[in-house]
């Protein structure tokens, strides 16, 4: 049974309930001052607490999508490679391979021209050789004859760390939200490329070109757009691409839009931070390269480099978010520039979680739609 299986969750709940009832039932029999009785009481209390914590942890993981599998949880995930099929003549199928297709959750239409489509893809970077899975949402208009020559604005959507790409589909509802808003005329139909920023798991690379390591920034700035443009009728750069993410993905989105404004015309950071951390999950990102470290600090970038010609959106909450003061400072710093445009969503309250981001995603998609072009 998988880590995210409902059977695992219910099994943990049942075990916790049985242990709780057993503790209450057996407690009088274990009341004697004997080492066996004391050991029994300690064992029952410990087992009950472990079962309760397991139940809460499994429920939280299902709600927030922290880990996708047992291997992901215990850090033994080895599925980093991507199989690229080759033709009989020795040519490859390209840097993007479609693995499977599915309906958009909540839409209930098997016809892509009516309900759109989600394609699971494998992407291999031409220059970085980074291989990663992703999900691509294609709107219904993509399949309709009257739009057969149209290119569509494209938004890269990133999870936090560690995150799972599928959580962008079934927990944060990006495709169904984009489709509903396009149907209502609030956004233009757009392609969504959904993946996690952790393209070299389990390491958190913070979208940095690590000296001697994964060239993650180059992957997102060059390889990913090139792969998508070569396979789909995506918006031609510049002006046709945006990027959005939450938490770590939000930091990456802002940084990529600021570092590469000719690639990403707009970047939105939901509950983002503004400087790459160094911790056990990241390892040494910069290897003593001061320039690389400074450029990963968005405040340093605003102070020491020319303002990029791009549009940024940041979000926070007055109560519940740790980035509130930094976000206000970032807004002011950007307002002091002459080329970078800044917008914000500030909630009265909201934590660092999926519920908060679901409240911010519809206005964020509308903001992105107004800043991206198709043809």
């Amino acid at each position: 049974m998988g880590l995210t299986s409902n059977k695992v969750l219910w099994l943990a709940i049942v075990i916790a309930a049985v242990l709780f009832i057993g503790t209450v039932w057996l407690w009088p029999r274990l009341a004697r001052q004997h080492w066996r009785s004391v050991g029994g009481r300690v064992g029952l209390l410990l087992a009950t607490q472990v079962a309760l914590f397991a139940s809460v942890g499994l429920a939280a993981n299902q709600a927030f999508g922290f880990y996708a599998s047992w291997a992901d949880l215990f850090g033994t995930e080895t599925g980093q490679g991507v199989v690229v099929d080759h033709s009989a003549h020795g040519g490859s199928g390209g840097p993007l391979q479609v693995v499977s297709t599915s309906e958009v959750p909540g839409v209930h239409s098997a016809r892509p021209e009516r309900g759109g489509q989600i394609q699971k893809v494998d992407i291999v970077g031409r220059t970085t050789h980074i291989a990663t899975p992703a999900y691509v949402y294609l709107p219904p208009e993509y399949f309709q004859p009257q739009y057969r020559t149209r290119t569509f604005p494209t938004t890269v959507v990133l999870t936090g760390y560690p995150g799972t790409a599928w959580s962008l589909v079934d927990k944060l509802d990006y495709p169904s939200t984009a489709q509903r808003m396009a149907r209502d005329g609030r956004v233009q139909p757009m392609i969504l490329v959904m993946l996690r920023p952790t393209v070299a798991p389990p390491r958190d690379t913070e979208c940095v070109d690590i000296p001697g390591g994964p060239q993650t920034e180059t992957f997102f700035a060059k390889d990913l757009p090139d792969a998508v443009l070569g396979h789909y009728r995506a918006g031609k750069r510049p002006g046709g691409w945006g990027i959005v993410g939450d938490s770590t993905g939000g930091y990456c989105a802002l940084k990529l839009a600021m570092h590469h404004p000719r690639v990403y015309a707009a970047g939105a950071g939901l509950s983002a931070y503004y400087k790459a951390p160094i911790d056990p999950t990241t390892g040494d990102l910069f290897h003593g390269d001061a320039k690389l470290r400074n450029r990963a600090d968005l405040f340093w970038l605003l102070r020491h480099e020319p303002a990029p010609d791009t549009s940024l959106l940041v979000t926070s909450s007055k109560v519940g978010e740790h980035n509130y003061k930094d976000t206000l400072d970032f807004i002011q710093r950007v307002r002091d520039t002459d080329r970078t445009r800044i917008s914000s969503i500030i909630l009265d309250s909201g934590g660092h979680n999926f519920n908060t981001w679901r409240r911010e995603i519809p206005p964020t998609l509308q903001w992105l739609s107004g800043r991206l072009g198709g043809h």
Side-chain angles (χ1 to χ4, degrees):
M1 291 185 289
L3 178 63
T4 59
S5 167
N6 286 328
K7 292 181 180 179
V8 171
L9 175 60
W10 281 109
L11 179 62
I13 293 173
V14 169
I15 291 174
V18 169
L19 285 170
F20 176 77
I21 294 171
T23 300
V24 174
W25 182 261
L26 295 173
W27 197 261
R29 303 184 185 184
L30 300 173
R32 295 188 297 273
Q33 299 300 318
H34 188 273
W35 70 267
R36 290 182 178 177
S37 299
V38 173
R41 294 199 298 271
V42 171
L44 282 173
L45 287 173
L46 182 61
T48 302
Q49 290 188 24
V50 169
L52 285 171
F53 280 123
S55 300
V56 173
L58 288 166
N61 188 63
Q62 283 206 15
F64 298 110
F66 296 123
Y67 300 98
S69 65
W70 295 108
D72 197 15
L73 173 64
F74 292 111
T76 59
E77 177 63 68
T78 58
Q80 300 179 25
V82 175
V83 176
V84 180
D85 294 326
H86 295 267
S87 69
H89 303 289
S92 75
L96 188 150
Q97 296 285 313
V98 178
V99 176
S100 62
T101 62
S102 60
E103 302 172 11
V104 177
V107 174
H108 308 300
S109 175
R111 298 174 59 185
E113 67 271 19
R114 296 188 61 184
Q117 188 178 80
I118 293 174
Q119 297 186 349
K120 183 178 182 181
V121 302
D122 288 333
I123 299 172
V124 180
R126 290 286 199 194
T127 59
T128 63
H129 306 294
I130 287 175
T132 188
Y135 293 94
V136 176
Y137 162 71
L138 301 173
E141 291 82 359
Y142 190 90
F143 302 95
Q144 296 171 4
Q146 63 269 36
Y147 295 101
R148 64 182 178 275
T149 61
R150 175 179 174 178
T151 60
F152 291 81
T154 303
T155 295
V156 174
V157 186
L158 301 176
T159 69
Y161 176 83
T164 61
W166 185 247
S167 68
L168 298 168
V169 178
D170 73 335
K171 296 292 193 302
L172 290 177
D173 306 322
Y174 269 98
S176 58
T177 301
Q179 185 182 119
R180 183 179 65 254
M181 295 181 70
R183 185 184 64 236
D184 296 341
R186 297 169 59 194
V187 303
Q188 56 181 320
M190 67 177 69
I191 296 172
L192 303 179
V193 183
M194 299 167 285
L195 68 167
R196 58 183 187 172
T198 313
V199 293
R203 188 176 187 181
D204 176 13
T205 59
E206 294 290 325
C207 299
V208 169
D209 280 349
I210 301 172
Q215 303 296 287
T216 314
E217 181 168 347
T218 298
F219 174 81
F220 283 110
K222 177 173 174 53
D223 286 349
L224 177 62
D226 285 351
V228 173
L229 285 166
H231 194 90
Y232 298 104
R233 300 196 313 276
K236 303 300 181 183
R237 296 172 288 170
W241 282 63
I243 185 167
V244 59
D246 59 75
S247 193
T248 299
Y251 162 73
C252 287
L254 295 175
K255 181 174 68 174
L256 287 162
M258 294 176 72
H259 284 188
H260 307 278
R262 291 187 59 80
V263 178
Y264 295 109
L270 312 184
S271 303
Y273 46 87
Y274 305 97
K275 179 180 179 180
I278 298 295
D279 57 34
T281 68
T282 66
D284 186 357
L285 292 176
F286 308 115
H287 293 268
D289 188 328
K291 181 179 179 181
L292 189 63
R293 181 182 64 249
N294 289 336
R295 281 181 55 80
D297 183 339
L298 303 188
F299 284 108
W300 184 96
L301 202 68
L302 290 170
R303 289 193 302 267
H304 295 91
E305 294 197 0
D309 184 12
T310 191
S311 296
L312 304 175
L313 171 70
V314 293
T315 78
S316 188
S317 303
K318 296 178 182 177
V319 177
E321 284 279 23
H322 296 298
N323 75 334
Y324 177 59
K325 291 183 179 179
D326 284 343
T327 297
L328 295 184
D329 191 12
F330 185 77
I331 292 169
Q332 186 58 51
R333 295 289 182 91
V334 176
R335 289 181 63 185
D336 291 339
T337 68
D338 55 354
R339 299 182 71 197
T340 308
R341 297 160 295 281
I342 186 73
S343 303
S344 66
I345 299 172
I346 305 296
L347 303 177
D348 288 334
S349 65
H352 198 80
N353 55 53
F354 282 4
N355 184 58
T356 296
W357 299 328
R358 279 193 293 264
R359 296 160 61 195
E360 297 166 342
I361 287 170
T364 297
L365 289 177
Q366 190 168 15
W367 178 86
L368 282 165
S369 175
R371 284 152 181 81
L372 304 181
H375 288 288

